[in-house]
Amino acid sequence: MKKDHFDVPVDRRETSSMKWERYKDRDILPMWVADTDFTTAPVITEALQARVAHGVFGYTQRPAELNGVMTERLRRLYGWETDEQWFVWLPGLVSGLHLSCRTVASPVTLTPDTIYPPFRSAPTLSGGQHLGIPMVQQQGRWLIDFSALEAAITAQTRLLLFCNPHNPGGTVYRRAELEQLAEICARHDLLICSDEIHCDMILEPGVEHIPLASLGPDIAARTITLMAPSKTFNIAGLGSSVAIIPDQALRNRFRKVRRGIVPDVNLLGYTAALAAYKDGDDWHQQQLKYLRSNRDYLLAEINRIPGLRLAHFDATYLAWIDIRDAELDDPVTFFESAGVGMSPGKDFGDDNFMRLNFGCPRSTLEEAVRRLRQALTD
């Protein structure tokens, strides 16, 4: 693979790309929804091409070796010993959030108050209530306020929706923080749905992802862990993810709620997931190196632009930019007029921020920074 692989722009126009269609025929760089503009690992493309060449696309089932590949991967990367029976494959992580809410049927579900939007909608669409828990910023890291969490728990609270690495903000929770969370949940008999979709997107050297359920048997028994290859390998459009549920009774309820409503992963989604987890690590390490360089560039440049601030962050390719000092009446319109399309912070619960996707060639990122600087200095 050429060293400049990730520098090569890919024309995604006229490909039914959600990301690029939003600003069709407008001079706005799409840097909002969380997919990257990189071609995926060649081993994935080759596996898909071979499967398509077969020419028959009937009903399918999970490849026999996929669960074994997954258990080996979790052991190798995180030291987490899992059982193949724990895995429930799904056509997307968001469906896992909704299924978790329906499985637990918590009258009140707790979530961080600044969070990926489906965390707030899933509890209410499942017939319950959503209650946001404040987050605190410690040396740039956004964390759940554990005191506020504990104070919010009542007899009506049975479920916590958790996100690690956190989206937005890119925080990776450390072991002591996870242990504190596990202790609170055990003491109050809470179940947890832990969204860990960005677990492979750690940019900070020396920082490691620790699956919440890997801490011990008690927390494992009360946790539904959600993971997927989609962010890691840029295959979100192929629709594959997995719920890891160690407790058999909880897993059975989850499967029952899912039955007849949420379909299986499609043929090409399974094909891509297997190829990614078996043979995609070399490509992924190159991607991480490139994204780390993009992050460091963005940290330096954003903090030179009047009105914008960006705290150092550990993970994801999603920068959580503080725009308070810019004092903008309509941030979305302002930045789109400048030619940069970002995700508005209000969608995540805080309109003092904008989220910028830097999973793109450096040339695109440099142009976005140039446009932002021009808009805020003219």
Side-chain angles (χ1 to χ4, degrees):
M1 183 181 296
K2 296 180 180 180
K3 291 183 179 179
D4 63 353
H5 169 77
F6 297 99
D7 273 324
V8 178
V10 179
D11 189 352
R12 299 184 63 190
R13 294 170 297 181
E14 307 302 329
T15 63
S16 299
S17 163
M18 176 188 294
K19 182 178 183 179
W20 284 79
E21 285 294 313
R22 168 171 285 190
Y23 301 117
K24 184 177 181 179
D25 300 325
R26 300 169 66 189
D27 184 22
I28 301 175
L29 297 173
M31 309 186 83
W32 62 291
V33 71
D35 65 11
T36 72
D37 291 327
F38 306 136
T39 55
T40 192
V43 293
I44 297 175
T45 304
E46 291 163 7
L48 290 168
Q49 289 171 337
R51 186 61 187 84
V52 168
H54 181 265
V56 178
F57 309 107
Y59 294 116
T60 192
Q61 59 185 11
R62 170 181 50 82
E65 61 182 313
L66 181 56
N67 279 359
V69 167
M70 194 68 182
T71 58
E72 189 280 330
R73 178 182 180 83
L74 295 173
R75 179 186 303 116
R76 172 169 50 87
L77 294 183
Y78 311 119
W80 186 16
E81 295 293 337
T82 56
D83 188 299
E84 293 187 24
Q85 296 183 13
W86 297 357
F87 303 139
V88 182
W89 291 89
L90 301 167
L93 187 134
V94 171
S95 63
L97 290 172
H98 286 263
L99 287 174
S100 296
C101 290
R102 286 164 169 76
T103 297
V104 179
S106 178
V108 178
T109 295
L110 305 179
T111 76
D113 64 0
T114 305
I115 194 66
Y116 178 53
F119 276 68
R120 296 199 303 276
S121 60
T124 56
L125 291 173
S126 302
Q129 296 181 12
H130 153 260
L131 178 62
I133 302 302
M135 301 192 75
V136 293
Q137 192 174 22
Q138 298 179 357
Q139 297 180 332
R141 301 175 63 244
W142 290 96
L143 302 167
I144 289 178
D145 185 329
F146 290 126
S147 296
L149 168 64
E150 192 151 18
I153 297 171
T154 71
Q156 298 295 301
T157 313
R158 298 172 191 161
L159 178 65
L160 167 69
L161 299 183
F162 180 57
C163 187
N164 179 37
H166 194 76
N167 175 23
T171 293
V172 177
Y173 281 78
R174 308 306 196 250
R175 182 174 295 275
E177 294 159 351
L178 293 172
E179 289 174 343
Q180 183 177 0
L181 177 64
E183 190 278 329
I184 292 171
C185 291
R187 183 153 37 86
H188 293 279
D189 196 24
L190 291 186
L191 296 176
I192 310 101
C193 174
S194 183
D195 169 5
E196 303 185 16
I197 195 172
H198 291 283
C199 61
D200 297 323
M201 307 305 290
I202 310 297
L203 304 181
E204 187 65 16
V207 172
E208 63 175 349
H209 176 74
I210 303 170
L212 179 65
S214 72
L215 295 180
D218 182 80
I219 190 65
R222 61 180 67 253
T223 302
I224 298 169
T225 302
L226 303 178
M227 293 182 174
S230 54
K231 307 302 180 189
T232 309
F233 299 98
N234 197 30
I235 53 173
L238 293 174
S240 62
S241 69
V242 63
I244 307 170
I245 312 175
D247 184 79
Q248 183 175 349
L250 183 60
R251 188 168 64 251
N252 288 344
R253 295 204 305 273
F254 187 94
R255 290 184 183 276
K256 183 177 180 180
V257 169
R258 176 249 183 93
R259 193 175 302 140
I261 298 175
V262 177
D264 292 329
V265 176
N266 70 77
L267 174 68
L268 298 184
Y270 270 140
T271 300
L274 180 60
Y277 284 145
K278 281 185 65 177
D279 301 310
D281 282 348
D282 288 346
W283 177 91
H284 176 54
Q285 289 304 312
Q286 294 179 52
Q287 177 188 223
L288 284 180
K289 182 179 179 180
Y290 193 87
L291 289 172
R292 187 175 299 119
S293 177
N294 271 3
R295 178 202 64 171
D296 293 347
Y297 166 81
L298 199 60
L299 281 166
E301 295 301 323
I302 289 295
N303 287 308
R304 293 191 181 111
I305 298 175
L308 303 184
R309 287 181 290 168
L310 179 59
H312 192 88
F313 56 102
D314 298 327
T316 79
Y317 47 82
L318 305 165
W320 190 232
I321 301 174
D322 188 331
I323 62 170
R324 279 174 287 193
D325 292 345
E327 299 181 343
L328 303 173
D329 293 330
D330 185 350
V332 174
T333 300
F334 177 86
F335 289 115
E336 288 181 349
S337 297
V340 182
M342 295 183 280
S343 297
K346 64 181 180 180
D347 290 352
F348 300 83
D350 193 336
D351 56 9
N352 292 311
F353 290 79
M354 297 289 285
R355 195 187 75 171
L356 183 146
N357 177 346
F358 58 90
C360 60
R362 176 61 67 82
S363 58
T364 304
L365 187 59
E366 290 175 348
E367 175 61 16
V369 167
R370 186 194 68 78
R371 294 181 181 193
L372 292 173
R373 181 181 296 112
Q374 182 176 5
L376 287 161
T377 55
D378 281 357

